[in-house]
Amino acid sequence: MNIKSVLLFFLSITGIAILYNIPAYNKWMYSKIFTVCDIPDQAQHLDIEMRRQSRYGYSYGIFKDIENKMANYPNVIILLPTDGYLRANKVTEFSTVEPSLFYYFTGMNAVSVTSPLVETATFALVSKVPGQVMLAKFDNKAQLDTQIKIFAKYPSP
Amino acid sequence: MNFAGLLFLLITHFLSGRGILRLFKLQLDPIPAVCLSFILGVPAVSFVPCILQLMKIPLAANSVYIGISVFTAVCCIPLLVSFTKPRLPKFIMPKLYEWPALLVLLFFVVVSVWRCYYMPPYSRDMLSGPELIAEYAVREKTMINSVFNIDLHTSNNYFKSPYVTTLQIIYKLLVFPFGQLWLSVMFVSFTTFIYSLLMDRVHPLIAGFLMLIFFAVPELFAYTFVILYDYSNMVLFFTGFYFLTRYMQNEKFNDFIFSSLLFGLATYIRTESLILIAFMSPLFLVHRYRQKMPLAKIALRLAIFMGVSIVFYVICIKIFVHNFVPLPLDVSHEINKHITDFSPLFKRLSDIVTVLIFSDTGPIFYGCFIIFFVYLAIADLVWPRKYNKEALYALYGVAVIYFGFGFIGYLLPLADLQNTTKRGFFKIIPIMLLYMANSGLIQRLSNAIKWWEDPESAPKKKVVAAPTPKRKLAPAPPPQVANRPKKR
């Protein structure tokens, strides 16, 4: 083997070692490459729904629960809370989404408090016990108006 | 995962791209030709669901299979008309010192492809627009589906090009519920293409090192597995730019037309690319003018160059978006109302430098890549101050992206700094990489390594003859004509 090739080989390894020891790259490698992408472990968990759950997080699980519970209700339109409202009620892990994302996750119609279609909501996702969310049905328009006012008090940050 | 479907798509991407490539009769080495075939084949096949939708054919697996087969067959006509035995790339075993960089690159490729396959689409811009439409198009067999009946007031992402939507529909139907793997096809093809460009210009050790810093642009690497428009747009914009620079050097019209097509496809993916392409046109206009090309001919070239991109813009907005999005599109309110006030332009140009690049978040977005480029450009200016044509063109390309995005931010206030400009700046990265490969300093370093490794490849030093004393030369004797047969 050519001695010059061996020297260049060591030069190459030294260059790579220096490059990935630059703080910006080193931090990136550990935070975004090694820790996030554990291929051997992920290869053991190939179930589609599990992968979605892992990627979209806790809120996605709540959305799927809502989808299951409301499967038998026709024409459901859910008024989604603002993040400000959720934090004010000590709901920390769950975050709200836009109506379009809610439809993507669940196939159910939703509106936000700023939506021009807000008056069409039939249910709301509310927090009656601190730290928890639940669905509440609107029996009349007054209840809907009250809920809109409550959500509007806590705009999303 | 449906491996047969994936194989079918890989073959159709390759064949359709290869057929289009043959139309241009470009002189390319086998490896770049294969890479370009895939790079062209992905956007080419993405048109199939649009055509099916326009023909009101339901978007089911069978119709998409048939549609893609027919489309590929049509694209293959140039291959059949001028059939030549395919040139297979010669496999050359990499040298020992190339392996460390190649293995690290391979590691990154595996990580990217795996994440693209394993994780579902995530970015908000996708889930509230193209991915949402694609998901329901698969369920309802039409791109004009129930999504447009829901509350969409928080997003305008459904007005974007159907490029991602259609590729997601194809891959969801034929390969896998998350789609996405088309992005890996683009990523692997482009990586190989750009590596082959670097190998042609610098020593393999330096080519490997440049590729590593190219991969280590955190934000860019993330978008090799997070589906969005920007990575594909960067790939097509850069290849368009590369073929434009080739045209400037070899003056082959085919390279020019091919460059226009690639820029057109980049416009189809992200329509604001049209502005950058307009900024790019002085590059060849001035060049042709200095070569004393007739003005009428220059004007014709400009019309072709911009015309192709405008056609793709019209296809995207006036045909596809107009027909597939049953909601009114009004872009007039997106344009800056105070067009005579230039302060937003200067602010954006300043913000790009101070907020996006030279800030605490700069290394999080772009690593040290842009900083390295700046230092290298300054060093080149001091010594050796030698620029080849490609380096100068690359510097112009860098200026186009910088000032172009300043202008886009000024013209379209919705094109914000932290999203549109940040991701749009991906286009500057491979152009900077092209400059690095042509930089005077790196060229010298590369040659030094080459000549040290193989002294015989070094240019031979001229042997300077010792000066001879001046003296009067004796008059040359008359030429002798010996043994000439006598005339009889």
Side-chain angles (χ1 to χ4, degrees):
Chain A
M1 192 175 287
N2 187 346
I3 186 73
K4 289 182 178 176
S5 286
V6 176
L7 285 173
L8 288 174
F9 171 77
F10 284 112
L11 184 65
S12 171
I13 289 181
T14 312
I16 292 169
I18 291 170
L19 179 72
Y20 292 114
N21 269 307
I22 294 172
Y25 289 138
N26 194 278
K27 197 176 165 191
W28 168 66
M29 288 285 282
Y30 279 97
S31 63
K32 300 283 180 185
I33 307 291
F34 293 137
T35 49
V36 181
C37 193
D38 183 358
I39 296 176
D41 181 56
Q42 288 171 343
Q44 303 297 316
H45 304 97
L46 291 176
D47 176 66
I48 298 280
E49 205 50 43
M50 192 183 283
R51 283 148 76 173
R52 284 197 175 118
Q53 180 79 57
S54 155
R55 183 65 159 161
Y56 300 134
Y58 178 75
S59 303
Y60 177 74
I62 301 282
F63 297 141
K64 294 310 278 185
D65 280 350
I66 294 171
E67 183 189 351
N68 292 333
K69 281 184 182 153
M70 304 303 284
N72 297 325
Y73 287 85
N75 303 323
V76 173
I77 300 175
I78 295 172
L79 174 61
L80 296 169
T82 59
D83 271 331
Y85 168 83
L86 293 172
R87 300 299 163 261
N89 285 281
K90 299 186 172 58
V91 180
T92 51
E93 289 183 42
F94 173 77
S95 290
T96 192
V97 290
E98 297 167 52
S100 53
L101 268 73
F102 189 78
Y103 190 67
Y104 177 73
F105 292 139
T106 63
M108 293 169 66
N109 267 334
V111 287
S112 65
V113 73
T114 54
S115 166
L117 304 171
V118 67
E119 300 285 331
T120 60
T122 54
F123 282 82
L125 200 55
V126 295
S127 173
K128 290 191 173 164
V129 179
Q132 290 179 18
V133 285
M134 59 184 291
L135 280 168
K137 190 175 187 303
F138 296 126
D139 293 322
N140 52 55
K141 193 174 176 304
Q143 285 179 344
L144 171 64
D145 291 340
T146 310
Q147 197 59 52
I148 292 170
K149 278 180 192 161
I150 293 170
F151 284 168
K153 258 199 257 177
Y154 305 97
S156 287
Chain B
M1 189 163 90
N2 180 2
F3 282 100
L6 181 61
L7 188 64
F8 168 81
L9 284 174
L10 289 176
I11 293 170
T12 51
H13 286 318
F14 174 73
L15 287 178
S16 53
R18 191 75 174 188
I20 297 168
L21 206 57
R22 180 62 62 84
L23 279 175
F24 295 90
K25 295 177 182 164
L26 300 169
Q27 288 177 342
L28 294 166
D29 288 337
I31 290 177
V34 169
C35 298
L36 277 172
S37 301
F38 280 109
I39 289 171
L40 270 177
V42 172
V45 167
S46 80
F47 284 100
V48 172
C50 295
I51 297 166
L52 294 176
Q53 181 70 48
L54 286 175
M55 294 166 76
K56 295 191 168 40
I57 296 171
L59 298 173
N62 286 343
S63 59
V64 171
Y65 265 122
I66 294 167
I68 291 175
S69 303
V70 172
F71 180 82
T72 306
V74 171
C75 289
C76 281
I77 290 172
L79 289 177
L80 298 172
V81 169
S82 58
F83 183 78
T84 51
K85 196 179 164 192
R87 275 196 305 153
L88 292 174
K90 281 182 192 167
F91 180 74
I92 302 167
M93 193 67 168
K95 290 179 182 165
L96 177 69
Y97 55 77
E98 292 177 59
W99 282 106
L102 284 177
L103 289 175
V104 176
L105 291 174
L106 183 68
F107 167 75
F108 278 110
V109 168
V110 169
V111 166
S112 169
V113 174
W114 174 258
R115 292 199 70 175
C116 202
Y117 158 73
Y118 188 79
M119 293 295 187
Y122 186 71
S123 72
R124 177 255 170 194
D125 281 3
M126 284 295 107
L127 299 187
S128 63
E131 166 63 11
L132 176 65
I133 297 169
E135 182 63 32
Y136 282 87
V138 169
R139 294 184 198 180
E140 300 170 22
K141 298 182 174 38
T142 172
M143 283 162 71
I144 307 165
N145 51 48
S146 59
V147 166
F148 297 103
N149 299 328
I150 66 167
D151 174 17
L152 292 170
H153 85 285
T154 54
S155 162
N156 63 356
N157 289 315
Y158 42 88
F159 282 125
K160 288 183 177 165
S161 162
Y163 169 77
V164 172
T165 310
T166 51
L167 283 169
Q168 280 296 90
I169 291 171
I170 292 169
Y171 275 75
K172 277 170 185 278
L173 282 170
L174 307 192
V175 184
F176 189 62
F178 297 163
Q180 297 196 121
L181 283 171
W182 53 270
L183 183 58
S184 293
V185 177
M186 286 296 257
F187 167 58
V188 175
S189 311
F190 184 64
T191 298
T192 316
F193 176 73
I194 207 153
Y195 187 60
S196 72
L197 286 190
L198 295 182
M199 289 285 278
D200 285 347
R201 283 157 181 76
V202 287
H203 186 272
L205 190 76
I206 294 179
F209 194 76
L210 289 177
M211 280 304 288
L212 287 179
I213 60 167
F214 177 62
F215 265 41
V217 176
E219 195 73 5
L220 182 60
F221 183 71
Y223 284 97
T224 65
F225 52 83
V226 175
I227 54 163
L228 217 60
Y229 296 91
D230 301 273
Y231 192 84
S232 303
N233 177 248
M234 176 202 79
V235 169
L236 289 159
F237 191 90
F238 173 76
T239 43
F241 174 77
Y242 169 70
F243 279 94
L244 185 65
T245 62
R246 250 175 70 121
Y247 161 69
M248 312 264 288
Q249 292 173 86
N250 65 17
E251 301 187 8
K252 286 185 177 163
F253 189 63
N254 291 353
D255 279 321
F256 175 74
I257 293 283
F258 187 59
S259 157
S260 307
L261 173 75
L262 291 165
F263 277 132
L265 287 170
T267 305
Y268 171 66
I269 293 172
R270 279 206 78 108
T271 47
E272 75 265 16
S273 303
L274 192 61
I275 295 172
L276 301 175
I277 293 161
F279 277 40
M280 202 60 89
S281 55
L283 185 64
F284 77 90
L285 292 180
V286 172
H287 185 256
R288 298 285 96 165
Y289 182 75
R290 285 169 69 179
Q291 288 190 328
K292 298 190 171 122
M293 183 184 261
L295 279 175
K297 217 171 172 181
I298 293 176
L300 182 66
R301 292 279 157 98
L302 178 65
I304 294 170
F305 187 69
M306 289 308 300
V308 175
S309 292
I310 290 169
V311 166
F312 276 100
Y313 179 89
V314 171
I315 289 173
C316 177
I317 300 294
K318 296 290 176 191
I319 300 179
F320 292 162
V321 173
H322 178 75
N323 280 289
F324 304 156
V325 181
L327 297 171
L329 170 64
D330 178 19
V331 290
S332 59
H333 66 276
E334 290 181 12
I335 295 173
N336 185 1
K337 298 277 187 301
H338 310 285
I339 207 83
T340 50
D341 176 14
F342 290 100
S343 58
L345 172 66
F346 297 117
K347 183 169 187 324
R348 178 57 59 91
L349 288 173
S350 157
D351 284 351
I352 288 173
V353 175
T354 55
V355 179
L356 222 49
I357 300 170
F358 296 103
S359 65
D360 291 343
T361 51
I364 297 170
F365 298 151
Y366 305 115
C368 301
F369 190 89
I370 296 181
I371 295 166
F372 178 58
F373 165 81
V374 172
Y375 285 152
L376 187 67
I378 293 170
D380 275 339
L381 206 61
V382 177
W383 186 82
R385 265 196 220 180
K386 281 191 176 172
Y387 297 93
N388 63 22
K389 281 187 177 175
E390 209 168 54
L392 291 174
Y393 298 148
L395 284 175
Y396 182 83
V398 168
V400 163
I401 304 296
Y402 172 64
F403 289 106
F405 270 99
F407 185 73
I408 289 170
Y410 151 76
L411 190 68
L412 309 166
L414 276 180
D416 62 346
L417 184 74
Q418 292 293 350
N419 292 294
T420 311
T421 307
K422 183 185 77 178
R423 293 197 296 259
F425 243 59
F426 290 167
K427 287 184 270 295
I428 213 169
I429 305 286
I431 299 177
M432 285 178 171
L433 191 67
L434 188 68
Y435 173 80
M436 289 175 189
N438 286 286
S439 135
L441 208 59
I442 285 186
Q443 280 291 322
R444 289 201 170 211
L445 181 65
S446 168
N447 286 337
I449 298 173
K450 261 185 216 169
W451 297 338
W452 173 75
E453 188 189 6
D454 178 14
E456 287 190 3
S457 69
K460 297 279 180 289
K461 282 183 182 170
K462 283 179 187 171
V463 179
V464 182
T468 49
K470 283 182 181 176
R471 61 184 178 187
K472 280 188 178 177
L473 292 172
Q480 288 181 353
V481 183
N483 301 329
R484 185 177 283 178
K486 286 178 183 174
K487 282 182 183 175
R488 290 190 180 174

